Amino acid sequence: MLIKYKSTYRKIAMGLLSYMPQQKQIKTLQETIEKYEHDERWQLFLWKEEDIVGVIGIFEDSDGDFELCHVCVNPSFRDEGIGKQMLQALQERITGTLRPNKDTKEFYSACLLDV
């Protein structure tokens, strides 16, 4: 189930975001989570089964379209289709077009091939 991020999930969200290669530095990770907490154009969602096992983040541009910025799944839960489920649930929530950025393009393309 996709749930909207709130600050009480900060530690788990930061832990999941740290699986993305460009989020390895703590300063970068803190800056990223600050965007999601304080800028309404940045939206972060968590994937909850029994526990929170994934995170997906988007940025809304001035045209009302969205850029897929972050997709991370706990390594213990990978290869179970959770990333694809998060992407599908996210697309049901947004009204604009969703496009990947350079960091999420490979994942996004793989999901399209699985359809």
Side-chain angles (χ1 to χ4, degrees):
M1 168 174 59
L2 199 64
I3 58 174
K4 183 94 168 113
Y5 170 81
K6 53 186 174 183
S7 59
T8 56
Y9 298 128
R10 184 181 180 106
K11 286 183 182 179
I12 188 75
M14 286 178 68
L16 289 164
L17 285 169
S18 72
Y19 291 120
M20 291 200 71
Q22 73 277 17
Q23 296 293 322
K24 295 294 182 195
Q25 299 292 334
I26 188 70
K27 183 175 178 169
T28 305
L29 192 54
Q30 289 171 331
E31 290 169 355
T32 298
I33 205 74
E34 288 291 322
K35 287 179 197 174
Y36 284 119
E37 288 182 351
H38 301 292
D39 187 336
E40 62 187 33
R41 297 173 301 161
W42 289 84
Q43 298 177 51
L44 190 64
F45 299 90
L46 301 126
W47 187 259
K48 185 174 182 176
E49 295 192 340
E50 288 185 29
D51 294 315
I52 295 171
V53 297
V55 66
I56 189 166
I58 55 175
F59 172 78
E60 184 175 5
D61 66 24
S62 58
D63 296 330
D65 290 331
F66 296 88
E67 180 179 312
L68 180 61
C69 299
H70 300 99
V71 180
C72 309
V73 176
N74 180 319
S76 299
F77 293 87
R78 291 188 183 159
D79 299 322
E80 296 180 16
I82 291 172
K84 186 174 179 179
Q85 290 175 42
M86 287 192 304
L87 185 59
Q88 290 170 340
L90 178 66
Q91 288 180 314
E92 292 172 6
R93 281 189 173 218
I94 63 173
T95 55
T97 301
L98 180 65
R99 66 183 181 288
N101 67 14
K102 64 180 177 53
D103 299 319
T104 60
K105 187 175 184 175
E106 186 177 328
F107 166 79
Y108 189 83
S109 296
C111 285
L112 293 179
L113 292 175
D114 287 344
V115 174

